[in-house]
């Protein structure tokens, strides 16, 4: 029996041939599995993190402590996803950093479910993959930093919001167009 027939056909989302350990800036988005709003809520265009959201925020802050080869100059925790810019300064593989962050935050979240009655998730906290965008110039960097900053103000139109406005996420398209 050929078991490959039952496997999902996943689209490759990494830039083929690119060295993701190259020094540079990367825009990262990690989304909660099933887009569950586990980290708080947006109230009056401001993100109000619950205890789980604060834990995720701290987990992201701890990445640079664990490795002095990286910096996280901009980040936002949203109800069901996180955005951040990560600056690689040395020979550190981006995928490994994200894998560790997902693993560490999942471990802490499970403790919160067990000890503090946090909302449960289905099988995995994070979606299997993550979105990355290689930031190639200062204009793109500034645009993405602003996108992160204003993300709570745009929550109603955010395609990751389960009850988002049906308008297309034009700002995200522009982020990607800047290169």
């Amino acid at each position: 029996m050929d078991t490959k027939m039952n496997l999902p056909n996943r689209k490759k989302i990494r830039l083929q041939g690119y060295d993701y350990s190259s020094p540079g800036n990367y825009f990262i988005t990690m989304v909660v599995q099933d887009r569950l709003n586990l980290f708080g809520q947006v109230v009056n265009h401001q993100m109000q993190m619950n205890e789980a959201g604060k834990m995720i925020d701290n987990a992201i802050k701890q990445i640079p402590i664990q490795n002095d080869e990286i910096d996280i100059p901009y980040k936002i925790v949203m109800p069901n996803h996180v955005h951040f810019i990560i600056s690689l300064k040395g020979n550190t593989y981006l995928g490994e950093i994200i894998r560790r962050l997902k693993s560490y935050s999942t471990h802490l979240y499970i403790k919160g479910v067990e000890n503090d009655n946090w909302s449960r998730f289905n099988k995995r906290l994070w979606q299997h993959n993550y979105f990355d965008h290689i930031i190639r110039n200062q204009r793109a960097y500034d645009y993405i930093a602003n996108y992160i900053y204003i993300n709570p103000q745009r929550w109603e139109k955010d395609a990751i919001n389960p009850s988002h406005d049906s308008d297309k996420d034009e700002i995200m398209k522009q982020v990607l167009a800047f290169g």
Side-chain angles (χ1 to χ4, degrees):
M1 177 182 233
D2 187 4
T3 58
K4 291 183 181 181
M5 297 288 287
N6 297 328
L7 295 176
N9 187 11
R10 289 202 170 99
K11 186 170 110 177
K12 293 184 191 246
I13 59 174
R14 304 290 161 255
L15 181 60
Q16 297 301 307
Y18 185 81
D19 180 2
Y20 281 91
S21 63
S22 297
N25 298 305
Y26 303 85
F27 173 49
I28 304 297
T29 301
M30 295 176 7
V31 180
V32 172
Q33 182 71 21
D34 300 324
R35 296 185 178 183
L36 300 173
N37 291 343
L38 300 177
F39 305 144
Q41 59 185 342
V42 175
V43 178
N44 296 324
H45 304 291
Q46 297 289 319
M47 178 58 192
Q48 304 294 318
M49 287 185 282
N50 58 20
E51 291 304 311
K54 292 173 186 173
M55 177 277 296
I56 296 296
D57 188 59
N58 286 328
I60 295 169
K61 286 178 187 173
Q62 290 179 16
I63 295 172
I65 294 170
Q66 297 170 6
N67 186 339
D68 64 355
E69 297 286 318
I70 63 173
D71 186 32
I72 311 279
Y74 296 95
K75 66 176 171 45
I76 185 74
V77 176
M78 295 296 290
N80 63 4
H81 66 282
V82 297
H83 293 298
F84 55 95
I85 292 176
I86 186 167
S87 299
L88 299 185
K89 301 174 189 175
N91 195 17
T92 305
Y93 182 62
L94 179 63
E96 180 63 18
I97 293 167
I98 302 302
R99 185 193 66 74
R100 287 181 185 175
L101 174 60
K102 284 182 171 184
S103 177
Y104 179 62
S105 59
T106 299
H107 171 75
L108 294 177
Y109 194 95
I110 289 169
K111 283 186 171 185
V113 169
E114 293 170 349
N115 300 328
D116 301 315
N117 203 29
W118 291 0
S119 297
R120 295 186 175 275
F121 56 89
N122 183 24
K123 296 183 184 174
R124 63 174 57 232
L125 178 60
W126 299 106
Q127 287 182 358
H128 173 74
N129 231 323
Y130 61 93
F131 171 81
D132 74 81
H133 178 75
I134 303 159
I135 302 174
R136 294 180 175 91
N137 57 53
Q138 188 63 47
R139 182 176 178 209
Y141 184 95
D142 293 343
Y143 198 88
I144 292 167
N146 186 60
Y147 176 83
I148 291 170
Y149 179 75
I150 67 167
N151 207 247
Q153 298 165 22
R154 304 187 54 263
W155 179 238
E156 290 83 21
K157 293 186 183 280
D158 196 322
I160 301 174
N161 177 351
S163 59
H164 79 282
D165 185 329
S166 61
D167 289 348
K168 300 227 189 250
D169 194 350
E170 294 299 323
I171 293 180
M172 182 55 109
K173 287 181 183 176
Q174 291 172 11
V175 164
L176 300 177
F178 275 106

